[in-house]
Amino acid sequence: MASRILKVPPFDLAVFGGTGDLAYRKLYPALFHRYIDGQFTAPSKIIGMSRQAFEQDAFRAKVAGALKRFAGGAAAGSTIDEFVQMFQFVTLDVESDEGWDELKASLNPDPAAVRAFYLATRPDYFAAIAKKIAAHQLVTPSARIIVEKPIGKDGASAARTNDAIGEVFSEQQIFRIDHYLGKETVQNLMALRFANALFEPLWNSAHIDHVEVTVAESIGIEGRARYYEEAGALRDMVQNHLLQLLCLIAMEPPASLDADSVRDEKLKVLKALKPVDASNAAEVTVRGQYRAGAGEGGAVQGYCEDVGNNYSKTETFVALKVEIANWRWAGTPFYLRTGKRLPKRISEVTVAFREIPHSIFPEESGIIRRTRLVIRLQPDEGIKLWLMLKEPGAGGMRLQHAPLDMNFADVFSIYAPEAYERLLMDVIRGNATLFMRRDEVEAAWRWIDPILEAWAHTEDAPRPYFAGTWGPAAAIALVVREGRSWSEEFA
Ligand code: BG6
């Protein structure tokens, strides 16, 4: 099945932090893929900026090197040479006025031309960069700004960052990236729910027993000790990625796919989350921290050694029972878990339907299990619908739990784009559906802040778990004591 490519209008993309990890690993490879698919329209330009000076050719050679490492099989030499000609380097210091005139001179002066500023820097620079963009009069009607999570480290700091950016750009011009929203299968959650008549009538607490979201990573903190020590798994993954997934699973059908219709519905879910605070945090949250154990490539050290702090209380694993206090979901818990140094990299949503009200089958037929819909976000994107079926043969009515199994790579034999490819093209098109609106980010913090506060006021440290295991035993107990279990799909 061939995918259709819709060209985007000509653009200038100016990347602050243009020689950083995010730019080399994610942004430039994503742009390269869109380039080789013929999605760009000339004249378009990518401007990389950093404080450290580079000759144009040296910068282009660095970009080419990054593409060879990170752009996969697509990185044929001659196309890379062509592509890097789109790149220009500007030495620029976000804290002084050095380089800003050169940046201005590099941008297309036509007020209608799309001009996007990507802040691939530490979040504490966001406000200062926005101010400088304004001071140097770089904001045109078609300008837009892209910021990466984390936006703030709590509600108050998020509001300050949003205020500072909001003084320069209107909300329609601000694109807050949560790269999970750009993942193909995350978008498929919407297709599955709203382009099929099958699921939506059952999509409520009358029919769904519980929902599980697992985002497991086998990697550790990958040299990000300073950031991670301050963030921890709740801020790094739950405040954004997992809550966004939860919103897409739980929201009411939006009136249309336009940005505000979708974001209005997600916001309602965030507002309906049952508060977790000091009164119930011990009951519905589990924090863990990895100890030395097995990594994918051999033995790995523990988190405290990774960050060089024996007393660290930062969590690298979280499991939560989340309830949504509204008519659709009252009585259906959502269990979320995420962690570093788990046995595998795997992200899945499992929707477990209620048990049948009455069985007509004799005991010898076997146990009747719940119908489960499993949506695999990564790797091996696909959908499995676990059903009870009759075991073939003449041995009487014996039942078996078996999946209708659909692997997207087999069905759509095309390259599945990386999240950033889709998101960057959406920015250029001005489509904000897959980006977080200010009120969503702040509503998510309003729910997260009391959890952080409850944890800060307890003497308990995060529970240890060995690297290479599925987190602390308490995370299993969280669901088992309610007569349920985490999905065993991949265990
Ligand atoms: C990032 C987190 O937002 O998402 C990282 O900061 C995490 O800690 C990453 O590793 C996971 O993304 P993905 O796309 O690999 O699941």
Side-chain angles (χ1 to χ4, degrees), residues 288-304:
Q289 190 189 69
Y290 64 81
R291 297 284 182 265
E296 278 191 325
V300 292
Q301 57 183 16
Y303 177 76
C304 288

Side-chain angles (χ1 to χ4, degrees), residues 309-361:
N309 173 9
N310 284 341
Y311 304 101
S312 172
K313 281 178 81 175
T314 300
E315 78 287 353
T316 60
F317 175 97
V318 195
L320 301 155
K321 174 185 170 186
V322 181
E323 289 175 273
I324 304 174
N326 65 18
W327 273 60
R328 187 187 278 262
W329 293 116
T332 295
F334 285 67
Y335 300 105
L336 313 185
R337 67 174 165 173
T338 183
K340 302 263 185 213
R341 290 275 185 241
L342 301 186
K344 288 183 185 164
R345 173 177 188 252
I346 195 150
S347 300
E348 274 191 3
V349 172
T350 301
V351 178
F353 288 85
R354 289 203 182 275
E355 284 171 4
I356 52 162
H358 165 72
S359 172
I360 61 165
F361 301 97

Side-chain angles (χ1 to χ4, degrees), residues 26 148-149 179-180 183 215 217 219-220 224 227-228 236-237 240-241 340 345 347 378:
K26 298 283 185 194
E148 275 283 332
K149 65 146 269 266
H179 78 279
Y180 266 59
K183 288 184 190 277
V215 177
E217 296 189 273
I219 55 169
R224 295 194 301 161
Y227 159 74
Y228 203 87
D236 185 46
M237 298 293 288
N240 33 78
H241 306 325
K340 302 263 185 213
R345 173 177 188 252
S347 300
Q378 61 190 23

